Amino acid sequence: MTKTMLRLAFVYLNFFLVNFVHAQDVKIELGPDEIGLNETFTIKATLANDKIKSYDQFPEIPGFQKQGISQSSSMNIINGQMSSSNSIIQYYKPTRKGEFTLGNFSILINGESYSSPGKSITVGDAVSNQGFGGNATDPFADFFGRPSEEPEYVELEDDAFFSVSVDKKEIYAGEGFNLNVAFYMSEQNQAPFDFYEPGRQLDAILKKLKPNNAWEENFNITNIQPELVVINNKRWMRYKVYEASFFPFSEGTIELPRVPWEMIKYRIAKNPTFFGANRQEDFKTFYSSPQTITVKPLPPHPLKNEVAVGVFQLRENISKLEVETGQGFEYNFGISGVGNINSISPPKRLTGTNLNTYDPNVRQQVNQGYGRVSGIKEFNYYITINEAGEYELDDHFEWIYFDPVRAVYDTLKPEAKIVVSGESKVNQAISGQRLGGIYDRIATESNQFLNEEYKYYFTTAINVLLLGAVALLAVLIIKKK
């Protein structure tokens, strides 16, 4: 190993040791107190001996407009000691002349907060020659003796769009439609983009997009992940930010307005350098196309306002097909398919003799995926039959729903048949029932006759009151004459 290689190894070893022992060191520098109307004010955050992996939004300044962000890095080797720095510079353009105040503020750099007391800024008349104080030039332009000149940035043409889409334009009341909010970039797109406060923007646009009179099944997108899709034979990268299915309660029209979506779009340096700011942060706003969904009323039916809407099937499960009279067994009436699973009500219990049921236990599972809501809802019954014979459960249970694909009402009925053997337990079942009312008091009330002496006193009191009333009536008649 040569001496040069040893010296370089020692330098890099010192560099890593310095990074290890020193905590994150951030310096915030503010632009000058006075600038011209055609100059720019800057806030620069510099991190020593580490990379800037994340940072918060820079503050707003009254009377100024943000003009983008540039990033720079530098490295020095002095007496064998290596040091580096990374900087982020936010540019502000004044909108008018006057006195303005930048209040105290904080910025998150790599997850840690750093504060600045702010300052007062005076904006005067436009100046003819912009100097370094106005930050019109790259503050790192003279690094390594390079000439000081303002970097020139260009904006690349983008092949991207923002979309609010639905899978159906016409549905029945109670039928679901899928709402998808996403940003698309083609595979040939060269313009660099990044998301800008997607959570805050999404909250704002959902207040405009969500229909009020509808049940929502949110697909709960927590991470924005790219996925490849093909639209009109062209490959696109789709970044979903929201997806949900909505089930309107009543007929009418649902209007989804045109909404904005802002992205960070970087401008690229025309003459990139190794240490300079090779791209500048800028913003571009995309707009979605408005959408209209027509919600049709269901066809006439006695249960029009009660039935579920969707494509459903019956999944029944039964514990026994042959039982003894009076012996209990379980019967599971499951409804699975695509639709609003939460709106599924228990099957209708038809009137019939000798078959006794109790309120069912209910279990449901709802799945969101592939642009639809599906699942199953199960009603588990406990049944007893007190008379021998063959019982077809379709005589006792049915579930009516509306199928929007075929546009018809349909009925799901069981296929199970129960064979019951043994002696009749009807009378035993009646005797075991609680009759209530007066029958509940028989065992607790006394069976002794009431004392006749109380009856004599009661009759005497009634007779005395009647005689007094007659006497009073006679006196009133005599006085009147």
Side-chain angles (χ1 to χ4, degrees), residues 235-412:
R235 294 160 65 90
W236 298 81
M237 297 305 296
R238 179 173 64 183
Y239 299 83
K240 284 185 184 179
V241 296
Y242 175 80
E243 185 177 8
S245 287
F246 290 92
F247 299 86
F249 297 131
S250 58
E251 65 270 16
T253 301
I254 298 175
E255 300 287 348
L256 303 180
R258 179 174 181 258
V259 294
W261 184 262
E262 193 173 24
M263 295 287 293
I264 298 175
K265 182 181 179 182
Y266 294 98
R267 302 172 66 194
I268 304 301
K270 190 173 182 179
N271 298 309
T273 60
F274 183 76
F275 289 108
N278 292 329
R279 67 179 188 175
Q280 185 181 58
E281 187 178 274
D282 205 349
F283 297 90
K284 182 174 180 178
T285 301
F286 296 84
Y287 291 89
S288 67
S289 299
Q291 304 285 348
T292 300
I293 302 100
T294 301
V295 184
K296 303 180 294 185
L298 296 182
H301 190 277
L303 301 176
K304 170 183 174 181
N305 297 322
E306 301 177 21
V307 298
V309 179
V311 180
F312 299 106
Q313 306 84 35
L314 174 63
R315 288 175 51 182
E316 56 181 337
N317 185 22
I318 192 166
S319 60
K320 293 183 180 180
L321 294 177
E322 296 183 3
V323 296
E324 296 287 334
T325 53
Q327 180 182 2
F329 62 94
E330 291 185 352
Y331 171 67
N332 186 282
F333 191 102
I335 303 166
S336 65
V338 178
N340 187 1
I341 305 300
N342 288 280
S343 69
I344 295 177
S345 57
K348 184 179 180 181
R349 174 75 168 85
L350 304 178
T351 57
T353 58
N354 299 325
L355 189 147
N356 305 310
T357 63
Y358 302 90
D359 290 338
N361 294 323
V362 182
R363 184 188 73 87
Q364 78 174 24
Q365 178 180 338
V366 181
N367 305 313
Q368 299 101 2
Y370 303 102
R372 67 181 189 178
V373 175
S374 61
I376 183 171
K377 197 165 190 175
E378 297 177 333
F379 301 91
N380 197 56
Y381 291 90
Y382 185 78
I383 301 175
T384 59
I385 301 177
N386 298 314
E387 195 72 56
E390 292 186 357
Y391 295 84
E392 294 184 355
L393 292 186
D394 62 357
D395 294 332
H396 301 274
F397 297 95
E398 69 175 18
W399 189 73
I400 301 174
Y401 70 101
F402 181 77
D403 187 336
V405 177
R406 296 179 293 147
V408 296
Y409 292 91
D410 203 351
T411 304
L412 299 181

Side-chain angles (χ1 to χ4, degrees), residues 57-309:
Q57 295 299 315
F58 282 79
E60 301 289 341
I61 305 177
F64 288 79
Q65 184 179 16
K66 288 183 178 179
Q67 288 294 294
I69 291 179
S70 65
Q71 299 186 34
S72 299
S73 62
S74 66
M75 180 180 65
N76 292 307
I77 301 178
I78 300 175
N79 297 327
Q81 297 291 326
M82 179 182 293
S83 64
S84 65
S85 66
N86 285 266
S87 298
I88 299 177
I89 306 171
Q90 173 71 65
Y91 296 90
Y92 296 85
K93 179 181 179 182
T95 58
R96 62 186 186 275
K97 296 190 297 182
E99 298 282 341
F100 304 98
T101 301
L102 169 61
N104 59 335
F105 63 92
S106 298
I107 300 179
L108 286 176
I109 304 293
N110 293 348
E112 295 185 23
S113 179
Y114 298 90
S115 60
S116 171
K119 69 186 310 181
S120 296
I121 309 167
T122 301
V123 179
D125 294 328
V127 295
S128 57
N129 295 317
Q130 297 183 6
F132 183 79
N135 248 351
T137 58
D138 183 357
F140 293 92
D142 58 350
F143 186 65
F144 286 143
R146 292 191 292 116
S148 176
E149 59 182 17
E150 180 181 1
E152 183 180 356
Y153 297 96
V154 294
E155 182 176 354
L156 300 180
E157 290 292 330
D158 58 74
D159 191 9
F161 67 94
F162 174 65
S163 170
V164 173
S165 60
V166 295
D167 62 337
K168 302 172 186 175
K169 294 297 183 71
E170 188 176 76
I171 59 175
Y172 285 98
E175 181 185 359
F177 71 91
N178 185 262
L179 175 64
N180 200 312
V181 181
F183 182 74
Y184 292 79
M185 286 192 301
S186 74
E187 283 192 328
Q188 291 76 32
N189 176 68
Q190 297 297 321
F193 282 102
D194 204 352
F195 282 91
Y196 174 66
E197 298 184 357
R200 178 189 61 80
Q201 291 194 77
L202 185 60
D203 289 341
I205 67 173
L206 288 183
K207 293 178 181 178
K208 302 176 182 179
L209 293 178
K210 283 186 179 181
N212 295 323
N213 193 27
W215 177 270
E216 178 188 4
E217 286 287 348
N218 195 325
F219 284 39
N220 295 317
I221 295 176
T222 55
N223 294 315
I224 302 176
Q225 299 292 339
E227 54 181 332
L228 180 64
V229 296
V230 179
I231 304 174
N232 297 329
N233 297 322
K234 186 174 180 179
R235 294 160 65 90
W236 298 81
M237 297 305 296
R238 179 173 64 183
Y239 299 83
K240 284 185 184 179
V241 296
Y242 175 80
E243 185 177 8
S245 287
F246 290 92
F247 299 86
F249 297 131
S250 58
E251 65 270 16
T253 301
I254 298 175
E255 300 287 348
L256 303 180
R258 179 174 181 258
V259 294
W261 184 262
E262 193 173 24
M263 295 287 293
I264 298 175
K265 182 181 179 182
Y266 294 98
R267 302 172 66 194
I268 304 301
K270 190 173 182 179
N271 298 309
T273 60
F274 183 76
F275 289 108
N278 292 329
R279 67 179 188 175
Q280 185 181 58
E281 187 178 274
D282 205 349
F283 297 90
K284 182 174 180 178
T285 301
F286 296 84
Y287 291 89
S288 67
S289 299
Q291 304 285 348
T292 300
I293 302 100
T294 301
V295 184
K296 303 180 294 185
L298 296 182
H301 190 277
L303 301 176
K304 170 183 174 181
N305 297 322
E306 301 177 21
V307 298
V309 179

